[in-house]
Amino acid sequence: APAGWCWPALTRAASPGPGTTRSLVGLGVPAELIDAPAADAPQFDSEALWQTLQSNDWHGARVLLVRGPQGRDWLAARLAEQGAAVDTLVAYERRAPTLDADARALLAEALADPRRDLWLFSSSEAIDHLQMLMRECGRVDDATWRESHALATHPRIARRAREAGFGAVLESRPTEDAVVACIQSIRP
């Protein structure tokens, strides 16, 4: 946060999960002004955040929804249905990485032995980016995915992995402990 800046005392912030909450606090938003799902919520997403927010009186409230360009409109629709005036601000985007020679070699190695690695996905876009990178490496067959295993941190991401053709898709809560436990459950 810029020097001398402080969060407006009557303005609440909302966070879909612990990572966003940590970022907001780090930027100077007082923790007591942040509405977020409980740390033990099954998921950290718009639906879980709405469970926290839905009992508020939204009639006439002004809401700024900060998101990426492919963000879902689900939360904005719920807020608008309850009378809020919702504006959106596209503040970030998820892009496919640009691979250097070493990263290309690592991807080619993973694609050559698809049973060896476990792919961890925390966004559906990452699956699309991986498929694009696979085509750039000269691999266009979907058979590779039938032999591959994926771990997804949300049911929507798991569904996208299945649609992409991953042979085995595991689901985990989006916390470090849950992801580690899931990985440990499949490794001998």
Side-chain angles (χ1 to χ4, degrees):
W5 177 89
C6 66
W7 184 260
L10 298 177
T11 301
R12 298 201 63 80
S15 162
T20 301
T21 299
R22 281 190 300 276
S23 293
L24 289 169
V25 169
L27 291 169
V29 179
E32 64 272 10
L33 293 178
I34 301 173
D35 296 314
D40 62 350
Q43 287 296 330
F44 302 118
D45 57 14
S46 296
E47 290 81 353
L49 179 56
W50 182 242
Q51 291 297 314
T52 301
L53 300 175
Q54 69 183 347
S55 63
N56 296 348
D57 179 9
W58 292 102
H59 185 72
R62 301 235 13 182
V63 176
L64 178 62
L65 190 64
V66 181
R67 66 179 213 179
Q70 284 82 30
R72 296 184 311 135
D73 291 324
W74 188 89
L75 183 58
R78 300 298 77 74
L79 290 161
E81 288 168 1
Q82 297 301 313
V86 181
D87 291 310
T88 58
L89 173 68
V90 174
Y92 66 90
E93 65 180 316
R94 294 179 179 127
R95 293 184 186 173
T98 302
L99 302 182
D100 62 17
D102 290 340
R104 282 188 178 281
L106 185 60
L107 176 59
E109 184 181 316
L111 295 173
D113 186 4
R115 288 183 232 150
R116 185 191 75 181
D117 299 309
L118 174 68
W119 297 91
L120 171 61
F121 296 112
S122 61
S123 78
S124 297
E125 291 91 347
I127 297 166
D128 298 333
H129 294 158
L130 178 60
Q131 288 181 306
M132 180 198 70
L133 291 169
M134 186 176 109
R135 287 189 297 274
E136 287 178 6
C137 287
R139 298 291 297 262
V140 293
D141 61 86
D142 289 335
T144 299
W145 299 136
R146 285 192 296 277
E147 300 289 326
S148 298
H149 295 77
L151 172 57
T153 59
H154 193 280
R156 275 190 305 279
I157 301 167
R159 184 172 52 248
R160 178 66 192 99
R162 288 182 188 98
E163 290 167 357
F166 279 85
V169 179
L170 305 167
E171 293 183 43
S172 169
R173 288 184 68 242
T175 65
E176 183 178 345
D177 290 343
V179 169
V180 169
C182 188
I183 292 169
Q184 289 174 337
S185 77
I186 59 171
R187 298 287 184 203

